[in-house]
Amino acid sequence: MLRLGDKCICKDKISSPVTKYSELDPALCKELRKIVEALTAPGKGLLACDESPSSLEDRFSELGVENNENSRRDYREMLFTADKCQLSQYISGVILHHETVYQKSTDGIELTEVLRQSNVIPGIKVDKGLLPLFGAKNENTTEGLDNLQERCIQYKHDGCHFTKWRCTYTISETTPSLLAMVANANVLARYATICQSARMVPIIEPEILNTGDYGINRALEVHEEVYSVLFRTLHEHHVYLEGAILKPAMVLPGVQSSTNCTPQIIAEHTLTALQRTVPPAVPAVLFLSGGQSDKDSVVNLNAINAYEGKKPWTLSFCYGRALQNTAMSTWKGKRENASKAQAVLLERAKLCSEAALGVSESESGVCTRKN
């Protein structure tokens, strides 16, 4: 028996098969940390540009743009060829869709190379979408683990250095269920270990959707439950936390709630959830915009970084629509609008960068949810 203060420790007890596992190669750990450091440089965040062709259908249709491979290439090329100095000042990496990784610009340059020339790191979305979770009511898990290691090895060879995988959770009187939390935590953990074995940094996205009618305190409760289960599972799977990034939603009231929350309240609840559940070993938390308006996504991120309290992680952004909305509507599928759309993108990126440093001068507002 091991007693506190004993000088002699029974090593075979400490090194039992239950606790023994193979340590990661030091060179692998160093590479993962190096990628994380580049992605989470002060004032920088990620551009999520991984929309599937089908998810762009409605957005392109509203602009009168035909949704085909060439138009999607033209749009993303417009984004990636914005002024190199400014783009790399605010954006450290871009999450790509599989299609984009293998597309070339109109000049015949691979789009991943276009990003590298701007000192922006290419990444790739590797999950294959949501599917119903059997045994649960109106809850989902995410597929794509089959052949994931082979795909990651190929993506690494083709110039991508980080990945993203999304699982979703809904808040109601009965959800998220323990089944959904445990099942998705195991999927996210397995994804993370596979990616790390392929020398790629996993971005772990447990998105708690803010649909429904509930207040911010209920949201806080669910965020804590989901993250607690998640990080226990990551530990059990021996995920190298120093070589991973968390991409959560901010703690918000449901969109159908009549609750009004100031950015400071959102910051307080969001940081409380993180402080209670996320280990300091995690180097960075990059928030998703989660259905917030373009303005709210900046104001709330700034409030989180300006809020006093323990924040052992880099707190920045990984935004899709919050960065792209205005740029896309300015572009409208026309080459002559490219420079204006790029200027809009860079302005949005600058605002997000300032918010990631907690120095944004954007108007402080109130996050309002009404029926």
Side-chain angles (χ1 to χ4, degrees), residues 338-357:
S339 59
K340 291 182 180 179
Q342 289 171 339
V344 169
L345 169 68
L346 293 172
E347 179 59 29
R348 290 293 308 162
K350 179 182 178 183
L351 290 172
C352 292
S353 172
E354 292 171 345
L357 295 171

Side-chain angles (χ1 to χ4, degrees), residues 76-321:
R76 281 154 176 165
E77 181 181 354
M78 179 275 294
L79 296 176
F80 302 164
T81 54
D83 182 83
K84 294 181 181 180
C85 293
Q86 293 186 66
L87 185 66
S88 62
Q89 184 178 351
Y90 312 128
I91 302 296
S92 58
V94 176
I95 304 175
L96 304 172
H97 185 270
H98 173 87
E99 176 185 70
T100 313
V101 174
Y102 299 103
Q103 286 182 319
K104 294 183 178 181
S105 69
T106 50
D107 295 330
I109 303 173
E110 293 179 347
L111 291 182
T112 52
E113 178 61 25
V114 171
L115 290 172
R116 285 192 290 271
Q117 290 177 1
S118 296
N119 294 317
V120 175
I121 303 172
I124 177 74
K125 169 190 172 183
V126 292
D127 73 71
K128 293 188 175 181
L130 303 175
L131 76 166
L133 177 61
F134 183 78
K137 185 176 181 180
N138 299 322
E139 294 184 284
N140 296 316
T141 188
T142 310
E143 60 183 342
L145 289 176
D146 292 347
N147 302 317
L148 178 59
Q149 185 155 29
E150 291 85 350
R151 290 191 288 130
C152 285
I153 291 171
Q154 187 63 53
Y155 286 137
K156 180 74 174 184
H157 177 269
D158 295 334
C160 296
H161 296 285
F162 66 98
T163 63
K164 189 208 79 169
W165 184 291
R166 172 178 178 254
C167 287
T168 63
Y169 308 78
T170 56
I171 300 178
S172 71
E173 291 183 1
T174 58
T175 60
S177 65
L178 181 60
L179 171 61
M181 290 189 286
V182 171
N184 283 323
N186 278 282
V187 168
L188 287 166
R190 185 67 185 128
Y191 143 74
T193 57
I194 291 172
C195 291
Q196 290 185 334
S197 73
R199 298 165 38 234
M200 302 181 80
V201 168
I203 294 181
I204 299 166
E205 182 177 352
E207 180 178 6
I208 300 171
L209 305 171
N210 68 326
T211 55
D213 181 5
Y214 54 85
I216 196 167
N217 288 329
R218 169 61 176 153
L220 173 62
E221 179 183 73
V222 170
H223 278 252
E224 290 183 18
E225 290 176 345
V226 168
Y227 300 161
S228 295
V229 173
L230 172 62
F231 280 98
R232 178 178 177 82
T233 307
L234 294 179
H235 176 72
E236 291 171 345
H237 281 252
H238 307 144
V239 174
Y240 181 56
L241 295 183
E242 292 85 346
I245 292 172
L246 179 67
K247 182 187 177 186
M250 297 177 193
V251 178
L252 302 166
V255 293
Q256 295 176 331
S257 170
S258 59
T259 304
N260 296 338
C261 291
T262 65
Q264 290 70 33
I265 291 176
I266 291 170
E268 178 185 3
H269 284 72
T270 299
L271 288 170
T272 296
L274 298 178
Q275 289 164 351
R276 289 175 174 174
T277 58
V278 180
V282 176
V285 176
L286 306 183
F287 293 102
L288 56 92
S289 54
Q292 300 178 75
S293 69
D294 292 356
K295 176 183 175 182
D296 284 347
S297 66
V298 171
V299 170
N300 292 332
L301 178 61
N302 186 73
I304 289 170
N305 279 286
Y307 198 87
E308 294 185 3
K310 293 181 179 180
K311 293 174 285 187
W313 330 269
T314 296
L315 300 169
S316 192
F317 61 92
C318 181
Y319 289 167
R321 294 195 180 194

